[in-house]
Amino acid sequence: MELKMTTLAGDAAGSLSVSDEVFGLEPRTDILQRVVLWQLAKKQQGTHQSKGRADISRTGAKMFRQKGTGRARHSSARAPQFRGGGKAHGPVARSHETDLPKKVRALGLRHALSAKAKASELIIVDDLKAADAKTKTLIGQLSGLGLDNALFIGGAEIDGAFKNAASNIPHVDVLPVQGINVYDILRRNKLVLSKAAVEALEERFK
């Protein structure tokens, strides 16, 4: 399939032939959901921890004698029902990560790219380069392209001036092609790929 290519200034830069196996699939929301949930689960730190009764530093002596007080039978003051006792069934440090086959992850990325292409939310630019690291200048260029919420994917190396200029713009993310992922693609309204990024992706899925 043929996609139009433009410059950051908004000028036409010809067209680019892309693979239907990467950009022309019929998007499947079930695969996208699986990959997004896998990414978010892997992102969780899992460091939440509360103290159980075994973690509380308190005397192990029986609180009061077993019979004759008229009170309920109790032994340890570490029990959850007492103030200062351990928490019952509280969170413990653990990994939230789940398994997802590599083929499903790769398929999810192709479906995410195809979803953006089908929704006309994919823009291809000839190069992601800025003359200077001026945020104001870049905002003007992005406004001309109608981009106020976008993910920019460059080649293996991102131009330093462009990256610095874009870092101060809200709702705009910049990643090298190695960092492209389904969650970041779907969370932004527009996906902007450089020509180098498209070539790298097609080589990756060849």
Side-chain angles (χ1 to χ4, degrees):
M1 61 188 293
E2 292 285 332
L3 294 177
K4 292 182 180 179
M5 192 162 55
T6 183
T7 65
L8 280 177
D11 301 323
S15 61
L16 185 65
S17 178
V18 297
S19 171
D20 289 336
E21 295 298 318
V22 180
F23 295 93
L25 300 176
E26 187 64 31
R28 283 183 51 183
T29 55
D30 60 323
I31 292 179
L32 295 177
Q33 184 198 33
R34 287 181 66 186
V35 178
V36 168
L37 290 179
W38 170 78
Q39 275 191 248
L40 294 179
K42 189 176 181 180
K43 195 176 180 180
Q44 284 186 265
Q45 290 184 336
T47 54
H48 43 12
Q49 175 80 47
S50 64
K51 288 187 176 183
R53 61 187 300 169
D55 304 315
I56 298 297
S57 178
R58 253 185 178 182
T59 177
K62 188 172 174 64
M63 299 179 67
F64 42 78
R65 58 196 178 96
Q66 179 83 349
K67 305 175 76 65
T69 64
R71 301 178 66 182
R73 296 171 291 185
H74 288 300
S75 176
S76 175
R78 303 188 187 104
Q81 65 265 38
F82 297 117
R83 184 181 183 90
K87 186 172 179 63
H89 311 297
V92 294
R94 66 186 179 90
S95 171
H96 293 268
E97 188 175 352
T98 58
D99 289 331
L100 191 66
K102 286 184 179 180
K103 288 185 178 181
V104 178
R105 289 181 245 164
L107 187 61
L109 182 55
R110 288 160 55 197
H111 276 275
L113 294 169
S114 298
K116 287 297 184 182
K118 184 176 181 180
S120 300
E121 295 175 349
L122 175 63
I123 297 174
I124 297 180
V125 296
D126 57 348
D127 203 359
L128 291 179
K129 284 189 177 180
D132 50 36
K134 295 289 186 182
T135 301
K136 185 176 181 179
T137 304
L138 184 58
I139 288 177
Q141 291 179 326
L142 299 187
S143 298
L145 293 172
L147 299 175
D148 56 359
N149 189 308
L151 170 65
F152 288 83
I153 302 294
E157 296 290 336
I158 300 292
D159 178 60
F162 180 84
K163 184 177 180 181
N164 291 338
S167 64
N168 295 323
I169 306 176
H171 312 301
V172 170
D173 298 324
V174 181
L175 291 174
V177 69
Q178 303 95 311
I180 190 170
N181 62 87
V182 174
Y183 177 69
D184 281 331
I185 290 174
L186 298 180
R187 72 191 288 259
R188 294 301 179 201
N189 294 342
K190 299 284 187 180
L191 174 63
V192 183
L193 298 177
S194 69
K195 184 180 178 182
V198 173
E199 293 171 350
L201 287 170
E202 293 196 334
E203 183 66 27
R204 174 176 173 179
F205 292 118
K206 184 177 293 185

